[in-house]
Amino acid sequence: MRKPTQMEAFDALYTIAAGDGRGDALFGDSILLARPVYERTLIGSGYPVAYLEFPLLGEPCFDLLSVHGYVEPGSRFAPGSGFGYQGIFDWFQGICVPSGAVSFGIELDTSTGETERAGVYLQQRNRHELVAPFLESVGEAGRLQAYLDVLARMPEGWPPAYIGLFPGRPGTPMRIGGYMRHDELVRCAGDPQHLGNRFRQIGFFDFDTSMLLRCSEFMRFTPSIDFQFDIMPDGSLGDTFGLSLSFNETKPRESWECMEHGYGAQLMHALQGWGLADDRWKLIAGAAFGRHVGYEREDGAEGRFFLCIRFNYAKVKFKAGEPQPAKFYLTCASGELASLP
């Protein structure tokens, strides 16, 4: 057996994710646009991680985020690919490392039919010095000060870790997000007023008591939380707040158990009770997958190739204090194992 190509790996992962009726119920026909779009995000020899973002209420569809953890120096997009982002990948090739500690993504709203304009995403974690060259490389250097102003207001336990935007799209926000520290999560989950004080410190004021209570309840379901704010072109924070429950399970059986009987299932029942999801979530557990297979390398030695589908997170966005229909994110990853197990 030979090593799969990048597109063969993506096709295999999507086939697994969409199996047993999940395709129609969760994703609709978005794959018709997403597959050629994913191909246009390929650069170098690596296998970018595909994140499928789909709603838990309403018309089935998904948006696509293609994330690169490492791109070999000198790599270039094929003609007609890359969405105009060769320049930023030239920069990224100079700062990325094989461990994928810093990652860069291309995001497309395939659910709306968008196939030509792509958003960009940088997970810099605590390397905030990378934000300035990132924004400069996509022609948005003028938004750096707004980012730095918000960064300065972030309280202990709310460390920003990633940034995303649609370059050149007038009036669109710049997203800033991160991973809440566990002690802060426990405190916010137990004290909605503390959460409100944190919002005010950050400069976010579009909330009410009902939203605080709902957020704190959401936080009590989970061992870890992601948060997101939108920085508007004038530097103010927008009226949306994103709150995501992150799944920590790595093995398929553990992921299945979480969505069938664990905190994932408990959260889904709550979202359905709040009117933010229907019962399509019950199909998600069967998408968990992990396997590695042998193949023959060019030097004749045996290599190992893995395919993995994990649950990334469930997300609720609040707009002007009102919760919007929930979304779910699947992580579809593949690649060569560094060594035999």
Side-chain angles (χ1 to χ4, degrees):
M1 173 183 169
R2 62 172 175 79
K3 183 170 68 172
T5 67
Q6 295 159 319
M7 287 307 300
E8 287 171 342
F10 175 80
D11 289 340
L13 287 166
Y14 181 78
T15 298
I16 296 164
D20 298 324
R22 290 184 294 271
D24 290 340
L26 303 180
F27 308 137
D29 62 0
S30 293
I31 189 60
L32 299 178
L33 291 179
R35 187 184 186 280
V37 159
Y38 177 80
E39 188 167 19
R40 292 168 60 195
T41 71
L42 300 178
I43 184 173
S45 62
Y47 294 77
V49 178
Y51 293 88
L52 309 184
E53 171 194 351
F54 57 94
L56 296 178
L57 191 68
E59 189 72 21
C61 60
F62 72 87
D63 293 326
L64 176 70
L65 174 63
S66 177
V67 175
H68 296 262
Y70 179 72
V71 178
E72 305 96 324
S75 298
R76 300 195 63 80
F77 285 105
S81 294
F83 300 94
Y85 293 139
Q86 182 63 57
I88 191 171
F89 272 89
D90 291 342
W91 168 76
F92 181 68
Q93 291 165 37
I95 59 99
C96 66
V97 293
S99 66
V102 175
S103 56
F104 178 78
I106 297 177
E107 182 173 6
L108 282 111
D109 294 336
T110 47
S111 63
T112 65
E114 178 62 78
T115 61
E116 296 305 318
R117 300 187 69 174
V120 289
Y121 159 96
L122 176 72
Q123 181 166 258
Q124 80 281 359
R125 296 192 181 273
N126 64 350
R127 296 188 61 187
H128 300 296
E129 75 277 6
L130 297 178
V131 173
F134 163 70
L135 291 174
E136 184 176 357
S137 69
V138 295
E140 295 284 353
R143 306 190 76 164
L144 175 62
Q145 190 58 51
Y147 171 85
L148 294 175
D149 290 344
V150 175
L151 178 65
R153 298 197 300 267
M154 298 304 290
E156 277 290 314
W158 294 65
Y162 56 88
I163 182 173
L165 70 162
F166 273 81
R169 183 184 286 182
T172 58
M174 176 171 59
R175 182 152 296 168
I176 181 173
Y179 312 113
M180 188 177 293
R181 202 170 63 197
H182 184 70
D183 60 336
E184 183 70 8
L185 165 60
V186 172
R187 190 170 180 187
C188 289
D191 183 0
Q193 186 58 47
H194 174 74
L195 177 61
N197 290 337
R198 289 306 203 201
F199 280 157
R200 294 183 188 94
Q201 180 179 347
I202 294 166
F204 179 75
F205 302 102
D206 287 286
F207 64 91
D208 56 18
T209 300
S210 176
M211 175 179 161
L212 294 177
L213 291 172
R214 188 66 55 88
C215 286
S216 291
E217 182 176 356
F218 189 96
M219 291 177 175
R220 289 194 286 271
F221 286 106
T222 177
S224 55
I225 283 288
D226 293 17
F227 60 87
Q228 294 180 348
F229 295 96
D230 286 343
I231 305 176
M232 305 309 291
D234 66 358
S236 66
L237 289 183
D239 64 356
T240 61
F241 172 66
L243 187 59
S244 301
L245 178 155
S246 298
F247 292 89
N248 294 342
E249 289 69 27
T250 58
K251 297 179 179 179
R253 182 67 187 184
E254 294 173 349
S255 297
W256 183 89
E257 288 284 354
C258 180
M259 286 299 292
E260 286 286 331
H261 310 294
Y263 64 84
Q266 295 169 16
L267 173 66
M268 292 298 120
H269 281 296
L271 292 176
Q272 193 167 359
W274 297 340
L276 306 181
D278 58 28
D279 62 1
R280 75 186 68 178
W281 68 264
K282 296 177 181 178
L283 296 173
I284 295 173
F289 182 84
R291 186 170 300 171
H292 59 83
V293 296
Y295 74 93
E296 184 177 351
R297 294 176 176 165
E298 291 182 359
D299 61 5
E302 183 185 16
R304 307 293 293 182
F305 192 88
F306 74 90
L307 296 169
C308 175
I309 299 176
R310 293 177 57 187
F311 304 149
N312 189 19
Y313 54 81
K315 176 180 178 181
V316 173
K317 180 183 288 187
F318 293 84
K319 185 170 179 60
E322 292 297 321
Q324 307 301 300
K327 294 184 177 182
F328 201 93
Y329 294 70
L330 287 182
T331 302
C332 300
S334 61
E336 185 175 5
L337 293 175
S339 60
L340 291 174

